Amino acid sequence: MEFTKFFSQAEAERVHEASLEILENVGMLVRNPKALDIFEKNGCQVDRETMLVKFPRAVVEKARETFVPTYTFTAQDPKFDVTLPSNRPVVVTGSSAPNVIDPKTGEERRATSDDIANIAYLINELPGFDVFSISTLAEDAPEGQFSLSRFYPALKNCKKPVRSNTPNMNDLKVVLELGALIAGGEDKYRERPFINHHYCPVVSPLTFDVESTEAVIYLVEQGLPVYGTIVPNAGMTSPLSLMGTLVLGNAEFLGLATLIQMIRPGAPMIYAVLSTVADMRTGAYAPGAIETGMLQMGHTEMARYYNVPSGGYIGLTNAHTNDAQSGYETGMNTTAALLAGADLFNMGGLLGSLMAFDFGKAVIDNEIALMLKRLKKGYEYSEENLCLDLIAQVGPGGSYMDLDHTMKNMRTIAVLPKVATREMRRRWEDQGKPDAHSRAMKEATKILSKPNKSRFTEEMDAKVRAHFKGLVAGDAKWSL
């Protein structure tokens, strides 16, 4: 498949060269002591007083030699395993919003573990989503169980790959303990690590933080799945230039990738980004802007240059409700990224610049995801699919409606939406003129009103709750 390109091969090479210049001459501020040790041991120039690390070109190029072209998200149920890029587009929910749009009142409020349980079940049942990146925080988390109160209801109610992060090393190790308990032992968990970890260890511009970097180092050392997202914001933390932001973000990716490959050569990675351009009229964060899609396209080209999977937070919106803005920001940017060859799409369910999850938005995004997957599938070229015999059989003025060929293909050739309306206006009026959001909420209610057949068994749940005292309930329950 040919992809949309902004750059010639020579221009992509220049972006790479410019990134090397930044790493070699400007360097990166590295606040994590372990990372400083790793960089120094592997040939970087490390100033312990300033914590500045400079990367000789040869060091970065050596790391590039061990990049691998695939990344797998493992699930509790193997039928949900997905691998980049062969299963692209892999669609993931947006994650870690503090708030939720209450499905009863329509008002924004703090999210709870009950919301996570309901969202997990919904995502498990929506076929357009491949990975559940835990969509919200849990305001009701008991003291000392911040991360458990997110991962437990997620894993209890969703058999697809679950992805999220933790705020510190203690929480990370507790979450891994939960994974081992569910798997039936640490060895079994290591065979199929169904918790997928994600962090933003690089803070633009050109800075490694402490806690997230510590987590990435630990997980790479343990051979467990982890990747990072690069998040420059043009006009704020990167130059107010698409090319300048692309080059800075590319340098940051190479800095992180070099650290990972120094620890474990051949460790799988994703070139993941949320590169944005600030709205300089107010300084507002603008992940829904078309420039976010354009930057994703540019980073995706560089990912192909390095032969690694690509993607990130693409298809987000600044809209606070499921209106036209929400639809066109999500639709335009995901389509642009798909045509450029992106593999991973963190696009589902969030409104208001990643601040609030909305159940209706998730159902609508599922429909967009199915459209993206259909677009990726493309035409199925074959002599049989030219249908020449069929066209000759029906002839001019005939009908294809009652043919076996039509019956055979009617559910597979076209996406059959459950939210988008295709009825005549009179019927729509008779139904009360429902808008897309109300139709999406109706679909969410239909799904969530049924018993969750994928939840933990009673025996498994009892084992987990006996091990971790005082856990939140973690049950998917829905009533409107």
Side-chain angles (χ1 to χ4, degrees), residues 17 40 84 87 258 266 462:
E17 290 293 325
E40 188 170 45
L84 307 177
N87 295 129
T258 297

Side-chain angles (χ1 to χ4, degrees), residues 283-317:
Y285 188 49
I290 193 61
E291 291 80 16
T292 304
M294 294 174 68
L295 284 163
Q296 178 67 74
M297 294 169 78
H299 285 295
T300 294
E301 283 195 63
M302 294 312 300
R304 278 203 306 280
Y305 180 85
Y306 300 124
N307 194 27
V308 293
S310 67
Y313 286 82
I314 187 68
L316 302 172
T317 182

Side-chain angles (χ1 to χ4, degrees), residues 162-218:
V162 169
R163 190 213 79 158
S164 197
N165 52 33
T166 51
N168 53 57
M169 288 300 299
N170 181 68
D171 275 30
L172 172 58
K173 291 180 179 179
V174 169
V175 166
L176 291 174
E177 189 179 341
L178 173 64
L181 190 66
I182 295 168
E186 185 176 340
D187 290 344
K188 290 185 178 180
Y189 178 74
R190 286 180 175 276
E191 290 174 8
R192 292 191 52 78
F194 46 78
I195 299 172
N196 299 265
H197 304 271
H198 166 265
Y199 296 91
C200 297
V202 177
V203 181
S204 298
L206 299 167
T207 301
F208 279 91
D209 78 353
V210 179
E211 291 286 357
S212 293
T213 304
E214 186 87 4
V216 169
I217 292 171
Y218 178 81

Side-chain angles (χ1 to χ4, degrees), residues 38-53:
I38 294 166
F39 283 131
E40 188 170 45
K41 179 182 177 182
N42 287 274
C44 290
Q45 299 170 13
V46 176
D47 187 320
R48 293 283 176 170
E49 289 189 8
T50 64
M51 295 184 288
L52 190 68
V53 175

Side-chain angles (χ1 to χ4, degrees), residues 73 90-97 115-116 119-120 123-124 129-137 150-151 154-155 158 160-166 194-199 227 229 312-313 316 344-350 354 357 362:
F73 287 90
V90 171
V91 179
V92 188
T93 47
S95 56
S96 299
D115 295 313
I116 294 174
I119 298 166
I123 299 306
N124 192 80
F129 289 105
D130 302 293
V131 178
F132 177 41
S133 183
I134 304 176
S135 300
T136 70
L137 306 182
R150 301 181 68 218
F151 280 87
L155 293 163
C158 185
K160 293 178 180 179
V162 169
R163 190 213 79 158
S164 197
N165 52 33
T166 51
F194 46 78
I195 299 172
N196 299 265
H197 304 271
H198 166 265
Y199 296 91
Y227 70 96
T229 295
Y313 286 82
L316 302 172
L344 181 77
F345 295 73
N346 277 95
M347 57 168 280
L350 298 192
L354 296 88
F357 178 88

Side-chain angles (χ1 to χ4, degrees), residues 374-420:
R374 183 64 185 93
L375 184 60
K376 162 59 175 63
K377 188 177 180 181
Y379 282 79
E380 296 154 305
Y381 179 84
S382 69
E383 284 296 320
E384 179 184 358
N385 282 337
L386 294 177
C387 299
L388 294 180
D389 290 343
L390 195 64
I391 292 169
Q393 173 190 331
V394 173
S399 173
Y400 295 84
M401 286 188 63
D402 59 351
L403 299 183
D404 289 342
H405 180 272
T406 302
M407 297 294 291
K408 175 183 175 183
N409 291 295
M410 63 185 297
R411 296 186 182 278
T412 58
I413 293 298
V415 174
L416 302 176
K418 295 184 178 180
V419 175

